[in-house]
Amino acid sequence: AVTGLATSVLVPLLNVIHYQVVIKTNNYQLFREDSEREKDLFDRLFVFNLFNTYNSLIWIAFVEKNMEQLRVQVLFLLLSSIFINNLLEFYWSHSVKQLKKMGHSDAITSIRQMLRYILVGELEEGPIVPADPIKTALEHVTDEMTRDAAFELVDEAIELVIQYGLIMMFTVAFPLAPLLALV
């Protein structure tokens, strides 16, 4: 259980660190087209996430041949990915909406700026406090137009492929994996 817990903490942590390294190094490379940049970004992120997630599982399954430890490892990896993804995708956006409804937009921007600095290493140029609904809608449209949509889907595609691989390869060791993946 200790190795499963350690893996469930270290795998997402190493994925975040590697993500930042790939982003920084990818910005220094000179690509002729954006599609080359996106392909290189996807390839490097996918290969590292694949290795980072499956290396301990393959070692336990084929070298140690310990099904009980493999079961625990798959359980902890699935639970940690479910917890982190649900936390980021649902609860974070829901709490931000609730704070906006209560009128705490300054707290939201400071939290967003702090997270942006921690995760990306960049500071925003000042608080963005929408004054009226028209300005808010205009900011959403501007944000959508300037956002790199293909780049944002990279994380979700990698996450789905790795989760599908966990289910397909290790359902024998942990039969409840498909049920957990539905969450």
Side-chain angles (χ1 to χ4, degrees):
V2 174
T3 59
L5 186 61
T7 302
S8 68
V9 171
L10 288 175
V11 166
L13 180 67
L14 288 173
N15 284 342
V16 168
I17 291 170
H18 185 260
Y19 182 83
Q20 296 305 318
V21 170
V22 167
I23 296 297
K24 298 266 187 213
T25 57
N26 208 15
N27 288 337
Y28 288 116
Q29 291 179 329
L30 299 174
F31 294 104
R32 290 180 185 241
E33 297 177 5
D34 286 341
S35 61
E36 291 176 3
R37 181 183 71 83
E38 290 173 3
K39 182 188 178 311
D40 182 65
L41 178 71
F42 180 79
D43 290 346
R44 292 186 343 185
L45 286 175
F46 180 71
V47 167
F48 181 80
N49 285 347
L50 190 75
F51 177 77
N52 192 27
T53 303
Y54 293 126
N55 67 351
S56 63
L57 297 175
I58 290 173
W59 179 266
I60 293 168
F62 296 114
V63 176
E64 292 182 5
K65 298 179 182 174
N66 187 346
M67 285 296 269
E68 185 62 35
Q69 187 179 4
L70 184 64
R71 180 179 298 121
V72 170
Q73 196 85 351
V74 171
L75 171 69
F76 275 104
L77 276 174
L78 279 173
L79 286 178
S80 69
S81 70
I82 289 168
F83 175 75
I84 290 170
N85 293 330
N86 285 342
L87 182 73
L88 292 176
E89 293 173 7
F90 176 73
Y91 296 114
W92 175 255
S93 62
H94 181 69
S95 62
V96 167
K97 287 178 187 176
Q98 291 298 324
L99 284 173
K100 282 185 180 180
K101 283 182 185 177
M102 296 186 322
H104 298 290
S105 59
D106 292 336
I108 293 168
T109 50
S110 63
I111 290 170
R112 188 177 65 196
Q113 287 175 345
M114 180 180 64
L115 284 174
R116 183 175 176 88
Y117 179 72
I118 290 170
L119 295 176
V120 182
E122 298 174 358
L123 287 174
E124 292 181 0
E125 291 298 321
I128 302 169
V129 181
D132 56 46
I134 295 172
K135 189 174 182 180
T136 304
L138 187 60
E139 287 178 359
H140 286 295
V141 169
T142 306
D143 185 44
E144 288 295 324
M145 289 176 67
T146 59
R147 183 176 294 160
D148 190 3
F151 176 71
E152 289 181 5
L153 294 177
V154 167
D155 291 332
E156 293 183 24
I158 291 171
E159 169 191 334
L160 287 174
V161 168
I162 288 178
Q163 190 175 34
Y164 182 74
L166 277 172
I167 292 166
M168 295 308 294
M169 290 189 283
F170 300 107
T171 299
V172 172
F174 185 60
L176 293 177
L179 182 66
L180 283 177
L182 287 175
V183 177

